[in-house]
Amino acid sequence: MLKLSRLLPSISGSSPRLLEPLSFTKHDPRDSAAFSTATNNKYAAKGYTSNRIFAPYSVYKGKAAFSLSPCLPTFTKLDSGAVVVDRRGSMMMIFMHSIGERKYDWENKQRFALSATEVGSLISMGPQDSCEFFHDPSMLSSNAGQVRKSLSIKPHASSNGYFVSLTVVNNLLNTKDYLSVPVTTAEFAVMKTACSFALPHIMGWDRMTHQSGGTVGLQSKVEPPALDLEWDK
Amino acid sequence: MLKLSRLLPSISGSSPRLLEPLSFTKHDPRDSAAFSTATNNKYAAKGYTSNRIFAPYSVYKGKAAFSLSPCLPTFTKLDSGAVVVDRRGSMMMIFMHSIGERKYDWENKQRFALSATEVGSLISMGPQDSCEFFHDPSMLSSNAGQVRKSLSIKPHASSNGYFVSLTVVNNLLNTKDYLSVPVTTAEFAVMKTACSFALPHIMGWDRMTHQSGGTVGLQSKVEPPALDLEWDK
Amino acid sequence: MLKLSRLLPSISGSSPRLLEPLSFTKHDPRDSAAFSTATNNKYAAKGYTSNRIFAPYSVYKGKAAFSLSPCLPTFTKLDSGAVVVDRRGSMMMIFMHSIGERKYDWENKQRFALSATEVGSLISMGPQDSCEFFHDPSMLSSNAGQVRKSLSIKPHASSNGYFVSLTVVNNLLNTKDYLSVPVTTAEFAVMKTACSFALPHIMGWDRMTHQSGGTVGLQSKVEPPALDLEWDK
Amino acid sequence: MLKLSRLLPSISGSSPRLLEPLSFTKHDPRDSAAFSTATNNKYAAKGYTSNRIFAPYSVYKGKAAFSLSPCLPTFTKLDSGAVVVDRRGSMMMIFMHSIGERKYDWENKQRFALSATEVGSLISMGPQDSCEFFHDPSMLSSNAGQVRKSLSIKPHASSNGYFVSLTVVNNLLNTKDYLSVPVTTAEFAVMKTACSFALPHIMGWDRMTHQSGGTVGLQSKVEPPALDLEWDK
């Protein structure tokens, strides 16, 4: 039987409301990893001042935490007028170590961007399945192979949830970092449902539907039909 | 075999249309628990006069009833221009006792707000699973522990649906309230599908997609990419 | 193994395009049951001339056919400014008898409107499950019990799809009508997926999200929070 | 256990970002099959210059590749004001042979347009299921039967994914073409999730909801109710 208790103050991400005013100190555990804050000049300097919306799903546990957010693809318009994907979307996971009671190491976070196909792995996992993904951030550059990241999702021995763990080996800095966050069945259900919702969006397919603005209305009648016809060739 | 009968007038929430004009008397069983009405000055006084939309899913049974509605998160804009979640969203359940034929005790309703993770528990329940959630509305205040609410969802012995039950123990008023509503497999399927639909919305993720207005169009090209890049560090 | 053949001209609803110009004769099998046509004065007279959109999912078989369409709820605005559901939404099924090769009896169609909870039954059916719904269109009127409709969904003996059957007994006219349409596993998967998509819409929940217009933007900040708070009481 | 490696440069579609600037040469494997490009006069000549958005899901493998994109239905407005489906939507699959390392034969691609019901087959497939679809692009014309296309989806012997294979027999040109692409469980999960998302859109049902523009707002109150009432007859 699932039991979720909120009788005791906890640092779980499951609270239905924020119980205290937001304070944007660096290690506030309720602070989103993606928040742009006045005191965080590093981000202001990078230009995170546009009208972006931040609403990550965060799982805070004793030794580490991670947040999960969709990153939409960007599009570019060709001279022909066609709009194509420029940079692909992903589900961004950001991990932080715990550095005290309800404090997380905001300065040294690690990122891992799940591709559409990796999201497909996650959402098709059964309760006994595990998966592991390997990324090389320097792939195809002169530093290829110097930094290796792997994300693994493994079921608890009790089959009551999963361990979500990130390993980052950096041969350039001679460091190795390991962060592991246990997630409950309920938290994983949120991740799967939210990722299933987000998947068409990170693929850019929400742009290809009547809802997405461009082709709403009867104007869709004038879409050139030839491209779409199997019988065309 | 499932059997749903509408031959007899019933107070079930499954009727496809309202068969009588809406009358906003206090105990009308078809009246949404969340309706703002002219005769309900308590709500008018609280300012429920904005253009809010009310469409709860209600399950009316012999001894009690509950309704289910999504409550969206609220957002706030930082000086930097970034928009962050202010108050988290939830799925609000409102329970009422029956006080006569097709009459429910609108005056003494009890609320229970499911967090995103609790919604994750609900939508991942199999036919034999049960779950229980504990809330303390006064958590972190001087009255912590004085009011305890627990919501349990337990399968029927026949495994044909669930009992959804709320217990509220109030040590300040020295009261104990218990409301239990049997739900059919079909009603629970509606709850799961509707909660799965609503989950990304109560998380605020519908704001983070191309559909949600802010970033529709080619302007998304100018989103600062640095935040989203795993390779950035 | 599933096999769907389109080598032979068929009257199945699965063709990816309309192979002939639309002709709105009364019994054209490819003609939607819900089409408003110039020659169909019955509909013009009823006012079906507004900018409504018709895109039913139709299953045409040898003896009968049915189409499936979502019917959205209607809303009404109270003096307080709150918007409430006026008439509930449903999934409308329209059945017609076959009256010749690729001809269906458009004049004598039968309707059956699935409520949200009945849709919940349909989308939660496993391959061996069946369900049956009973409606009385005259419920609560003086003619109560005179017309009885029942819709049943039963698995094929081969467990390769279902029979979807409607029985209408009209004691006022002393008639009994029976229409049965075999649906394949694939067609039923479309019905389940489309009904799962439509369910939040017929419940009116798409109006309660950030996507639905009214509350998009930062104005959602000014939503009165009191209603939504479990801790309020 | 699933293992997805990105340590080696690969031509898989699973990369979370485009690692090189887009170059629209004809056989660039990262180039979408549907891209409208300046150098591709064939498409420009056909008018693919409108503001269309292209974001196919592509699976590139050693011997062949395919991409998957939704094609929306087109609508037409009748004199009565009603809007009806003109050409049905589909999920377009485009296959190409490999003609070298990371090069695909863009000139000789083969198309296969999945109908809504065929999409229903795909999304309801279990890990051991297979399906096969037969299309005749010349159906109902004088060339009926001269070109036969069949698409099959068959599980790997290891039950770790599927083979997606297209056969095109053209008796007019006396040619036979065969393309087969192995897809992993994760890639197939993306296809199923993306097809489930797209299905209501290719059916045109996104137009029938409050989200789709036309009927947003209180005006939906004035929708003629008669059409929707089961009780109307």
Side-chain angles (χ1 to χ4, degrees):
Chain A
M1 187 165 86
L2 296 167
K3 280 217 182 194
L4 294 183
S5 170
R6 295 200 314 191
L7 286 173
L8 301 177
S10 85
I11 52 173
S12 141
S14 64
S15 163
R17 60 190 293 236
L18 301 174
L19 294 162
E20 297 167 336
L22 277 170
S23 61
F24 294 105
T25 56
K26 277 179 184 162
H27 299 117
D28 185 331
R30 286 178 314 285
D31 193 7
S32 156
F35 278 359
S36 172
T37 74
T39 63
N40 199 322
N41 291 321
K42 184 174 74 172
Y43 287 97
K46 283 187 180 168
Y48 299 155
T49 54
S50 61
N51 293 323
R52 286 186 60 124
I53 296 171
F54 300 102
Y57 179 65
S58 300
V59 178
Y60 295 107
K61 294 293 165 71
K63 297 198 172 172
F66 69 83
S67 70
L68 183 71
S69 299
C71 293
L72 298 180
T74 59
F75 292 86
T76 197
K77 194 168 189 165
L78 302 184
D79 289 343
S80 67
V83 175
V84 298
V85 172
D86 182 23
R87 190 165 51 83
R88 289 190 183 149
S90 64
M91 292 297 307
M92 178 62 70
M93 299 189 75
I94 300 182
F95 288 79
M96 290 175 288
H97 288 284
S98 168
I99 52 174
E101 193 183 347
R102 302 178 73 180
K103 292 192 194 308
Y104 291 87
D105 189 359
W106 170 272
E107 292 289 309
N108 295 295
K109 54 184 171 297
Q110 296 281 6
R111 301 168 182 279
F112 198 91
L114 297 170
S115 70
T117 301
E118 288 163 347
V119 169
S121 287
L122 188 153
I123 63 179
S124 60
M125 285 177 70
Q128 300 301 329
D129 291 336
S130 61
C131 66
E132 187 159 12
F133 310 122
F134 299 95
H135 287 189
D136 176 356
S138 311
M139 179 165 61
L140 300 184
S141 83
S142 60
N143 282 331
Q146 295 301 303
V147 178
R148 289 159 181 258
K149 298 182 177 185
S150 74
L151 180 82
S152 79
I153 306 178
K154 294 195 171 121
H156 288 179
S158 65
S159 82
N160 239 333
Y162 298 85
F163 286 106
V164 177
S165 308
L166 178 67
T167 304
V168 181
V169 177
N170 188 324
N171 289 335
L172 299 171
L173 303 175
N174 211 20
T175 58
K176 178 171 177 176
D177 201 2
Y178 176 76
L179 305 102
S180 188
V181 180
V183 302
T184 65
T185 302
E187 287 160 343
F188 202 67
V190 174
M191 292 172 64
K192 285 172 84 163
T193 301
C195 282
S196 296
F197 169 80
L199 182 56
H201 298 280
I202 68 174
M203 295 168 70
W205 282 27
D206 56 332
R207 289 287 195 97
M208 302 166 77
T209 65
H210 291 114
Q211 293 187 341
S212 60
T215 57
V216 172
L218 289 173
Q219 293 85 327
S220 65
K221 184 73 177 76
V222 302
E223 283 178 30
L227 179 65
D228 302 328
L229 295 187
E230 176 184 338
W231 338 107
D232 189 42
K233 167 148 186 177
Chain B
M1 187 164 84
L2 296 167
K3 279 218 183 193
L4 294 182
S5 171
R6 295 199 315 191
L7 286 173
L8 301 176
S10 85
I11 52 172
S12 139
S14 66
S15 163
R17 60 191 293 237
L18 301 174
L19 294 162
E20 296 167 338
L22 278 170
S23 61
F24 294 106
T25 56
K26 277 178 183 162
H27 298 118
D28 184 331
R30 287 179 312 286
D31 193 7
S32 157
F35 278 179
S36 172
T37 74
T39 64
N40 200 323
N41 291 320
K42 184 174 75 172
Y43 286 97
K46 281 186 181 168
Y48 300 155
T49 54
S50 62
N51 293 322
R52 286 185 60 123
I53 296 171
F54 300 103
Y57 179 65
S58 300
V59 178
Y60 295 107
K61 293 294 165 68
K63 297 197 171 172
F66 69 83
S67 70
L68 184 71
S69 299
C71 292
L72 299 180
T74 58
F75 293 86
T76 197
K77 194 168 188 165
L78 302 183
D79 290 344
S80 68
V83 175
V84 299
V85 173
D86 181 23
R87 191 165 50 85
R88 289 189 185 152
S90 64
M91 291 297 307
M92 178 60 72
M93 298 188 75
I94 300 182
F95 287 77
M96 290 175 289
H97 288 284
S98 168
I99 52 174
E101 193 183 348
R102 302 179 73 182
K103 292 193 194 307
Y104 291 87
D105 189 359
W106 170 272
E107 292 291 309
N108 295 294
K109 55 184 172 297
Q110 295 280 7
R111 301 168 183 279
F112 198 91
L114 298 170
S115 70
T117 300
E118 289 163 347
V119 170
S121 287
L122 188 152
I123 62 179
S124 60
M125 285 177 71
Q128 300 301 329
D129 292 338
S130 61
C131 66
E132 187 159 12
F133 310 122
F134 300 95
H135 288 190
D136 176 356
S138 311
M139 179 165 61
L140 301 184
S141 82
S142 61
N143 282 330
Q146 294 301 302
V147 179
R148 289 159 181 260
K149 298 183 177 184
S150 74
L151 180 82
S152 80
I153 305 179
K154 293 193 171 124
H156 289 178
S158 66
S159 82
N160 237 333
Y162 298 85
F163 287 105
V164 177
S165 309
L166 179 67
T167 305
V168 181
V169 177
N170 188 324
N171 290 334
L172 299 171
L173 303 174
N174 210 20
T175 59
K176 179 171 178 176
D177 201 1
Y178 176 74
L179 305 101
S180 189
V181 180
V183 301
T184 64
T185 303
E187 288 160 343
F188 201 68
V190 173
M191 292 171 65
K192 285 172 84 164
T193 301
C195 283
S196 296
F197 169 81
L199 182 57
H201 298 280
I202 68 174
M203 295 168 71
W205 281 29
D206 56 332
R207 289 288 195 96
M208 302 166 77
T209 65
H210 291 116
Q211 293 188 341
S212 60
T215 57
V216 172
L218 290 173
Q219 292 85 326
S220 65
K221 184 73 177 76
V222 303
E223 283 178 30
L227 179 64
D228 303 329
L229 296 187
E230 175 184 339
W231 337 108
D232 189 42
K233 168 149 184 176
Chain C
M1 187 165 85
L2 296 166
K3 279 218 181 191
L4 295 182
S5 171
R6 294 199 316 190
L7 286 174
L8 301 178
S10 85
I11 53 173
S12 139
S14 65
S15 163
R17 59 191 293 236
L18 300 175
L19 294 163
E20 296 166 338
L22 277 170
S23 61
F24 294 107
T25 57
K26 277 176 183 164
H27 300 117
D28 184 330
R30 286 178 313 284
D31 192 8
S32 156
F35 277 179
S36 171
T37 74
T39 63
N40 200 322
N41 291 320
K42 184 174 76 172
Y43 287 97
K46 282 185 181 167
Y48 299 156
T49 54
S50 62
N51 293 322
R52 286 184 61 122
I53 296 172
F54 300 103
Y57 179 64
S58 300
V59 179
Y60 295 108
K61 293 294 166 69
K63 296 196 173 173
F66 69 81
S67 71
L68 184 71
S69 299
C71 292
L72 299 180
T74 58
F75 292 85
T76 197
K77 194 168 189 165
L78 303 182
D79 289 343
S80 67
V83 176
V84 299
V85 172
D86 181 24
R87 189 166 51 84
R88 287 190 186 150
S90 64
M91 292 296 308
M92 178 59 72
M93 298 189 75
I94 300 182
F95 288 78
M96 289 175 289
H97 288 284
S98 168
I99 52 173
E101 194 184 347
R102 304 178 72 180
K103 291 193 193 309
Y104 291 87
D105 189 359
W106 170 271
E107 292 290 310
N108 295 294
K109 53 185 173 297
Q110 296 280 6
R111 301 167 182 282
F112 198 91
L114 298 170
S115 70
T117 301
E118 289 163 346
V119 170
S121 288
L122 189 152
I123 62 179
S124 61
M125 285 176 70
Q128 300 301 327
D129 291 339
S130 60
C131 66
E132 187 158 11
F133 310 122
F134 300 95
H135 287 190
D136 176 357
S138 311
M139 180 165 62
L140 302 184
S141 82
S142 61
N143 283 330
Q146 295 301 302
V147 179
R148 289 159 181 259
K149 298 183 176 184
S150 74
L151 180 82
S152 79
I153 305 179
K154 292 192 171 124
H156 288 179
S158 66
S159 83
N160 237 333
Y162 299 86
F163 286 106
V164 177
S165 309
L166 178 67
T167 304
V168 181
V169 177
N170 188 324
N171 291 334
L172 299 171
L173 304 176
N174 209 21
T175 58
K176 178 171 177 176
D177 201 2
Y178 176 74
L179 305 101
S180 188
V181 180
V183 301
T184 65
T185 303
E187 288 161 343
F188 202 68
V190 174
M191 292 171 64
K192 285 172 85 164
T193 302
C195 283
S196 297
F197 169 82
L199 183 56
H201 298 280
I202 68 174
M203 295 167 70
W205 281 27
D206 56 332
R207 290 287 196 95
M208 302 166 79
T209 64
H210 291 116
Q211 293 187 341
S212 60
T215 57
V216 172
L218 290 172
Q219 294 85 326
S220 64
K221 185 74 177 75
V222 303
E223 283 178 31
L227 178 65
D228 303 329
L229 294 187
E230 175 184 339
W231 336 108
D232 190 42
K233 166 148 187 175
Chain D
M1 188 166 86
L2 295 167
K3 279 218 181 191
L4 295 182
S5 171
R6 295 199 314 191
L7 285 173
L8 301 178
S10 85
I11 53 173
S12 139
S14 65
S15 163
R17 61 189 294 235
L18 300 175
L19 294 162
E20 297 167 337
L22 278 170
S23 61
F24 294 106
T25 55
K26 278 177 183 164
H27 299 117
D28 185 331
R30 288 177 313 285
D31 193 7
S32 157
F35 277 178
S36 171
T37 74
T39 64
N40 200 322
N41 291 320
K42 185 173 75 172
Y43 287 97
K46 282 184 181 168
Y48 299 155
T49 54
S50 63
N51 293 324
R52 286 185 62 123
I53 296 171
F54 300 102
Y57 179 64
S58 299
V59 178
Y60 295 107
K61 293 295 165 69
K63 297 197 172 172
F66 70 81
S67 70
L68 184 72
S69 299
C71 293
L72 299 179
T74 59
F75 293 86
T76 197
K77 195 169 190 165
L78 302 183
D79 289 344
S80 67
V83 176
V84 299
V85 172
D86 181 24
R87 189 165 52 83
R88 289 190 183 150
S90 64
M91 292 297 307
M92 177 61 72
M93 299 189 74
I94 300 182
F95 287 78
M96 289 176 288
H97 288 284
S98 169
I99 52 174
E101 195 184 346
R102 304 179 72 179
K103 291 192 193 309
Y104 291 87
D105 189 359
W106 170 272
E107 292 290 309
N108 295 295
K109 54 186 172 297
Q110 296 280 6
R111 300 167 182 281
F112 198 92
L114 298 170
S115 70
T117 301
E118 289 163 347
V119 169
S121 288
L122 188 153
I123 62 180
S124 60
M125 285 176 70
Q128 300 301 328
D129 291 337
S130 61
C131 65
E132 186 159 13
F133 309 123
F134 300 94
H135 287 189
D136 176 356
S138 311
M139 180 165 61
L140 300 184
S141 82
S142 60
N143 283 330
Q146 294 301 302
V147 178
R148 288 158 182 260
K149 299 182 176 185
S150 74
L151 181 82
S152 79
I153 306 179
K154 293 194 170 122
H156 288 180
S158 65
S159 81
N160 236 333
Y162 298 86
F163 286 105
V164 177
S165 309
L166 178 66
T167 304
V168 180
V169 177
N170 188 324
N171 290 335
L172 300 171
L173 303 175
N174 210 21
T175 58
K176 178 171 178 176
D177 201 2
Y178 176 76
L179 305 101
S180 189
V181 179
V183 303
T184 65
T185 302
E187 288 160 343
F188 201 68
V190 173
M191 292 171 63
K192 284 171 85 164
T193 301
C195 282
S196 297
F197 169 82
L199 183 56
H201 298 280
I202 68 174
M203 294 167 71
W205 281 28
D206 56 331
R207 289 287 195 96
M208 301 166 78
T209 64
H210 292 115
Q211 293 187 340
S212 61
T215 57
V216 172
L218 289 172
Q219 293 86 326
S220 65
K221 185 74 176 75
V222 302
E223 283 178 30
L227 178 65
D228 302 329
L229 294 186
E230 176 184 339
W231 337 107
D232 189 41
K233 169 151 184 174

